[in-house]
Amino acid sequence: MRHYSFDFSRAQSRLENPWPWSTFGQVTEVIGLTVEAVGCRASIGELCHIGNGGNAVLSEVVGFSRDKLYLFPFQPLHGVSPGCNVKPLRRRLTVNTGTFLLGSVLDGLGRPLTGELQRGECRAYPLDQAPPNPLHRTRIDAVLETGIRALDLFLTLGCGQRLGIFSGSGVGKSTLLGMMARGSTADCNVIALVGERGREVRDFLERDLGPLGLARSVVVVATSDQPALLRIKAALTATAIAESFRDQGLQVMLMMDSVTRFAMAQRELGLAIGEPPTTRGYPPSVFAVLPKLLERAGTSSRGSITGLYTVLVEGDDLNEPIADSVRGILDGHVVLTRRLAERNHYPSIDVLQSVSRLASELSQPEHLSLVAKARNLLAVYRHNEDLINIGAYVKGTSRSIDEAIDTVPLIMQLLAQGIEERSSLDEALRALAQVVKE
């Protein structure tokens, strides 16, 4: 009769580590932006260290195939060689949030770029959160003033609304964001500069935002030279910080410049791990990730996040894939046109092409009546602008055209606004009532 011995220590070891995998894996291949590793087990979104000691490169698991892991680094892969250790950290990215962040500038992972932070009460908030339950969202019924007449009059925003700002390059979208950050009635701002030029970051902080705007803002920066994964995380970090402020009952304004560069970073990641390219080279994951990001803004039972997302349209094409997808998700869009910018009309908001889906619900009847009259005059003038400019129109032929010729220059003068100028909604309405005589 055989006697079997039971190795208790071996059984306990297998219970503590049920998978026959080593604590460390090894790098087998680096192709482009992707690191391939074998010999360890980690889940999607888990952080890993590549290499040892102080030179270890922080990375994230973005995919797997059988026994292989695919990782994306958050920093350059200098010093990484075949056989380098890969150590799973058994945690995901979080950001420490709290009101102590106001006035600070952070990198894409929430680390300060301007020295040490004076820590107050803080909370570790996960970067990846599901959007709120749609039935738990409160209805939007409060107006959020931006201090910009063209927006407050023609595109009235609500606390918790999400609005896209569509423009080509060089037509003043960064300046517009700075004006809103300084002049809005929100409790605080969270600003994400995703894929921004390094030279323009300081310009935005000192010229567009200014000390007053920065004091009530948290700025998250990932410049265009940084890895694609870090640019993606900058958008998620800013959104998580805004969510934490919303959970404290604050009215938050979240500004992201730009969603297009976020989508481009996601395209780099998707193509690098083998996704098939579709429209204009964007893989399917881009169009799956966009609604998950944009739907996280909005109202909750405690506070609200008013989302303002800039979209950089290529060649001023408002129907390119990212612009078209974002426009279908958000609650309205603001179009900045080069035609107005060339006339030195700032902010270069084309109110006829722009739409706020909640303006009719938030505005008073008198407000809507004035805006409707002004829109009609602007539309009549634009339809006949060529005839007017070449002198082919004879005054007295059409009463509506005559009124448009007399009134539209005054409306455009009202909608133009200096960088440091702020106007309340009541002041803007009184000025519009004087221009548009019903």
Side-chain angles (χ1 to χ4, degrees):
M1 183 176 180
R2 293 185 178 180
H3 295 278
Y4 295 93
S5 62
F6 180 72
D7 190 338
F8 181 79
S9 61
R10 183 179 179 185
Q12 185 179 24
S13 174
R14 289 300 299 269
L15 286 172
E16 292 174 353
N17 184 22
W19 299 102
W21 298 85
S22 170
T23 304
F24 292 89
Q26 288 187 328
V27 173
T28 58
E29 195 171 45
V30 177
I31 300 178
L33 304 173
T34 311
V35 179
E36 183 182 289
V38 297
C40 60
R41 180 174 291 272
S43 59
I44 298 292
E46 187 173 330
L47 297 177
C48 297
H49 270 154
I50 302 174
N52 297 315
N55 295 324
V57 176
L58 184 65
S59 60
E60 182 179 279
V61 178
V62 296
F64 60 85
S65 176
R66 297 186 180 180
D67 60 341
K68 297 178 182 178
L69 292 180
Y70 299 110
L71 303 100
F72 248 54
F74 288 103
Q75 56 200 88
L77 291 168
H78 300 313
V80 173
S81 60
C84 270
N85 285 339
V86 176
K87 180 182 180 182
L89 301 181
R90 307 306 177 196
R91 62 183 176 87
R92 297 170 180 270
L93 280 175
T94 60
V95 59
N96 289 323
T97 67
T99 53
F100 67 91
L101 288 177
L102 292 175
S104 61
V105 182
L106 312 176
D107 71 359
L109 300 181
R111 301 171 297 196
L113 294 175
T114 53
E116 292 296 324
L117 294 174
Q118 297 297 322
R119 287 274 176 98
E121 183 179 352
C122 69
R123 172 189 176 190
Y125 213 88
L127 264 61
D128 291 306
Q129 292 269 39
N133 186 320
L135 297 182
H136 294 167
R137 294 181 186 264
T138 59
R139 295 194 63 184
I140 298 173
D141 55 7
V143 173
L144 177 71
E145 294 186 24
T146 64
I148 298 172
R149 288 188 290 268
L151 291 177
D152 291 341
L153 288 173
F154 288 80
L155 306 163
T156 309
L157 270 73
C159 292
Q161 186 174 348
R162 298 161 306 147
L163 202 68
I165 301 175
F166 295 74
S167 77
S169 58
V171 295
K173 62 181 180 301
S174 296
T175 303
L176 179 63
L177 292 180
M179 292 173 67
M180 286 189 282
R182 294 193 308 272
S184 78
T185 55
D187 295 325
C188 60
N189 309 304
V190 180
I191 304 170
L193 303 179
V194 180
E196 191 64 82
R197 303 176 187 90
R199 175 190 63 80
E200 293 184 346
V201 171
R202 190 161 186 173
D203 286 347
F204 176 80
L205 294 175
E206 297 181 0
R207 182 193 62 197
D208 298 327
L209 198 56
L212 182 63
L214 182 59
R216 59 197 297 263
S217 304
V218 181
V219 183
V220 181
V221 178
T223 52
S224 58
D225 62 296
Q226 294 179 330
L229 189 58
L230 195 58
R231 283 176 270 148
I232 292 170
K233 296 305 180 185
L236 300 178
T237 297
T239 304
I241 293 172
E243 287 173 329
S244 72
F245 288 156
R246 177 180 64 186
D247 291 347
Q248 297 176 38
L250 299 177
Q251 306 297 331
V252 187
M253 181 176 283
L254 171 63
M255 305 179 187
M256 192 173 296
D257 184 17
S258 68
V259 173
T260 304
R261 294 193 180 107
F262 168 83
M264 289 178 175
Q266 181 65 34
R267 177 172 63 183
E268 288 182 41
L269 191 151
L271 295 177
I273 62 176
E275 280 193 80
T278 54
T279 310
R280 293 202 185 179
Y282 288 102
S285 65
V286 172
F287 302 100
V289 167
L290 279 175
K292 292 180 181 179
L293 173 70
L294 302 179
E295 287 286 355
R296 288 171 66 177
T299 59
S300 73
S301 57
R302 297 181 180 178
S304 70
I305 300 174
T306 303
L308 297 169
Y309 301 92
T310 68
V311 180
L312 186 63
V313 292
E314 299 176 8
D316 296 338
D317 179 13
L318 295 176
N319 295 315
E320 60 95 23
I322 299 302
D324 198 44
S325 178
V326 170
R327 189 166 52 241
I329 298 169
L330 299 179
D331 306 316
H333 56 272
V334 177
V335 177
L336 308 184
T337 62
R338 200 171 303 278
R339 175 178 57 84
L340 289 173
E342 289 170 350
R343 297 178 183 179
N344 199 35
H345 178 100
Y346 292 102
S348 55
I349 299 171
D350 189 329
V351 296
L352 292 182
Q353 291 192 65
S354 305
V355 173
S356 170
R357 294 191 175 104
L358 295 175
S360 59
E361 299 180 23
L362 297 170
S363 303
Q364 298 297 322
E366 298 82 2
H367 180 174
L368 294 175
S369 178
L370 286 172
V371 168
K373 181 67 181 298
R375 278 185 179 275
N376 288 337
L377 291 170
L378 289 168
V380 168
Y381 188 88
R382 179 169 299 180
H383 184 70
N384 297 279
E385 190 171 8
D386 290 339
L387 292 176
I388 296 168
N389 289 338
I390 65 175
Y393 173 72
V394 178
K395 194 168 185 179
T397 305
S398 169
R399 181 180 175 183
S400 60
I401 297 177
D402 291 342
E403 187 178 3
I405 292 172
D406 294 335
T407 309
V408 165
L410 299 176
I411 296 175
M412 298 304 292
Q413 185 179 350
L414 174 64
L415 298 183
Q417 196 167 335
I419 294 176
E420 299 296 333
E421 185 181 358
R422 186 193 183 280
S423 177
S424 69
L425 178 57
D426 290 338
E427 292 171 348
L429 281 171
R430 286 195 294 269
L432 184 63
Q434 291 178 357
V435 171
V436 181
K437 298 180 176 61
E438 296 186 271

